[in-house]
Amino acid sequence: MSLRSIPTPTAGAVPSTPAPGPLKRVGRVIVALIGSFLAFLVAAIVLGAYLPAIPKAGVIGPVLGGQYPFHIAVIALLGVGLGVLAGRSGLVRWGRTVTVITALSSAGALTIGGIQFAAARQAGTEVSFGQVFSGLGYPDSTPDTTTTYAGPDGKPLNADLYLPRQTSGRPAGKVPAIVLAHAGGFHTFDKSDLRGTGRWLADHGVAVVAVDYRLAAPGHPTWNEAPQDLVSALGWVQQNAEHYGIDASRISLGGMSAGGTLAMNAAYRLQAGTITPSAGDMPRPPASVVGFYPGTDVTQMWKDDIAGTREAAELFTGGTPQQYPERYREVSPTTGMPSDLPRTLLVVGDRDRSARPKTVTDFADALRAQGMDAQVKKLPFAEHAFDDAYGSLTSQTSRQILLDFLI
């Protein structure tokens, strides 16, 4: 072959990169698809956390973004890595888009965590980041003892007691206590949901009596039973305070969600003399009242119809406000608030859809207008049941707020 037939390279030309093989092409697409899924997921969660009015994303965003912001940030950073990998493998625009979305989502999630951390520190919380990452649900805590506090209609109602342990670091003596009622829309769950809060408070010097109460069911409303059960539980603790080392003058009544509604209703009606216990003697009013994300007006719960509040109200009362207006009025803490009510603590998330922050704040304002001591604590980026994730910053903060109120 002559030299003249040999092609000469064009000046400035760059040797072409061999096209990737079939396996590499499939692999980079899979990487990009996984990154895209993560980008969509974390972006929806973070956007919903900031803008809860957005349909669907605004429901799940405050729940996941509010309780697990650091977990969301880690997932988003994984998406950043996948986006970079996709871009370097040849899918430049696709990878760049995934990288930008996940990077912004990670920054947004970390901002949520930073705001919650600042609120926790302001409340005096000793934050445990170990719990933040490991305490995804209720801890596996057990009560010191379980006992029956009442038996209306022959059905035993039980209580779990979490008691402070006398240690060299804690002076001996009687301790404050709180009777806590669980959440569940008046018709589900039980006292075991309070085991994390119960054990933590007991470890910090407050006795906790987590109680069951009669739950509503179709055809069996408990509007005239459940509040009375809490009155009985309060009386039982007062009568047995000496046995468990409890200061009988410092026994509070509280609850979460529907349990908070019941606790406030029972305490206020007890103060007004318009309620009796389902069993046992009439107790003294509690030293204070606590409502975590409570419903303050059961009629409003029915009207709002958010996350099952209408169904809960109808099961509890046996019908609609039009059918039973007196029942709705009787079980709503807003009805006929007497004077000289016990001091009240209300804790709510600023993203709560069912126990709306403004409703809770307005209720506290009404108490203060009558000269009562009412405190409202709003937790940032927190939805209803913000303490379901035991280790979350909102849960840790709420426990510290409750402890400071009780001691």
Side-chain angles (χ1 to χ4, degrees):
M1 183 172 63
S2 70
L3 294 174
R4 188 175 297 176
S5 65
I6 300 175
T8 57
T10 304
V14 179
S16 61
T17 303
L23 289 179
K24 287 187 177 180
R25 287 199 299 269
V26 172
R28 71 181 185 180
V29 170
I30 291 175
V31 167
L33 286 173
I34 296 174
S36 298
F37 171 74
L38 294 181
F40 173 79
L41 177 67
V42 296
I45 292 173
V46 172
L47 192 62
Y50 280 93
L51 302 171
I54 298 176
K56 298 187 183 302
V59 175
I60 197 67
V63 175
L64 296 180
Q67 294 193 87
Y68 310 105
F70 295 106
H71 301 79
I72 302 302
V74 170
I75 294 172
L77 288 175
L78 176 60
V80 170
L82 293 174
V84 170
L85 187 60
R88 289 183 176 178
S89 68
L91 302 176
V92 179
R93 292 183 179 177
W94 193 349
R96 186 178 298 159
T97 301
V98 169
T99 301
V100 170
I101 293 174
T102 51
L104 290 174
S105 298
S106 180
L110 288 174
T111 299
I112 292 173
I115 292 172
Q116 292 182 339
F117 177 75
R121 297 298 295 167
Q122 186 176 10
T125 309
E126 294 184 8
V127 174
S128 167
F129 279 99
Q131 286 186 6
V132 167
F133 285 98
S134 64
L136 303 183
Y138 297 124
D140 188 20
S141 301
T142 56
D144 294 290
T145 186
T146 298
T147 188
T148 298
Y149 73 85
D153 302 326
K155 299 177 182 178
L157 294 174
N158 294 328
D160 289 339
L161 277 72
Y162 301 86
L163 303 172
R165 297 178 176 88
Q166 297 295 335
T167 66
S168 58
R170 183 184 300 122
K174 295 181 180 179
V175 298
I178 183 169
V179 178
L180 276 181
H182 64 84
F186 308 112
H187 65 96
T188 188
F189 303 152
D190 60 42
K191 55 185 170 47
S192 66
D193 290 348
L194 300 164
R195 59 187 181 271
T197 300
R199 175 52 61 205
W200 188 89
L201 285 174
D203 289 344
H204 290 77
V206 176
V208 174
V209 183
V211 300
D212 281 334
Y213 49 86
R214 282 174 287 181
L215 299 176
H220 182 76
T222 54
W223 63 276
N224 60 341
E225 296 177 348
Q228 286 81 354
D229 292 342
L230 293 195
V231 175
S232 293
L234 177 65
W236 183 90
V237 177
Q238 290 176 354
Q239 292 170 7
N240 293 275
E242 186 73 26
H243 176 73
Y244 292 107
I246 293 171
D247 183 346
S249 67
R250 300 172 67 193
I251 301 173
S252 302
L253 185 60
M256 281 62 178
S257 193
T261 303
L262 293 173
M264 291 191 297
N265 177 253
Y268 297 165
R269 289 169 62 191
L270 188 59
Q271 181 69 36
T274 59
I275 192 172
T276 57
S278 56
D281 298 329
M282 180 71 72
R284 299 181 301 279
S288 61
V289 186
V290 174
F292 271 40
Y293 40 91
T296 57
D297 187 330
V298 181
T299 301
Q300 193 63 48
M301 289 172 56
W302 186 91
K303 291 178 180 178
D304 291 342
D305 193 19
I306 297 174
T309 56
R310 176 169 294 181
E311 178 190 12
E314 291 186 2
L315 283 172
F316 183 45
T317 62
T320 68
Q322 292 75 29
Q323 292 174 295
Y324 301 110
E326 289 300 325
R327 293 182 183 182
Y328 275 79
R329 280 194 290 269
E330 183 170 309
V331 297
S332 296
T334 53
T335 301
M337 293 181 291
S339 59
D340 300 325
L341 289 175
R343 63 193 187 99
T344 300
L345 170 67
L346 303 171
V347 184
V348 67
D350 68 0
R351 299 296 196 270
D352 199 321
R353 294 181 305 128
S354 50
R356 293 176 297 173
K358 186 178 186 306
T359 301
V360 174
T361 302
D362 288 347
F363 179 70
D365 289 341
L367 290 173
R368 296 192 196 102
Q370 298 188 52
M372 309 305 162
D373 181 355
Q375 303 177 32
V376 178
K377 302 292 183 180
K378 287 193 289 186
L379 302 180
F381 291 97
E383 236 284 16
H384 201 72
F386 50 73
D387 50 350
D388 278 352
Y390 177 80
S392 68
L393 287 176
T394 51
S395 187
Q396 292 188 46
T397 304
S398 69
R399 289 195 294 271
Q400 185 64 51
I401 290 171
L402 178 55
L403 176 66
D404 291 343
F405 180 78
L406 295 173
I407 59 174

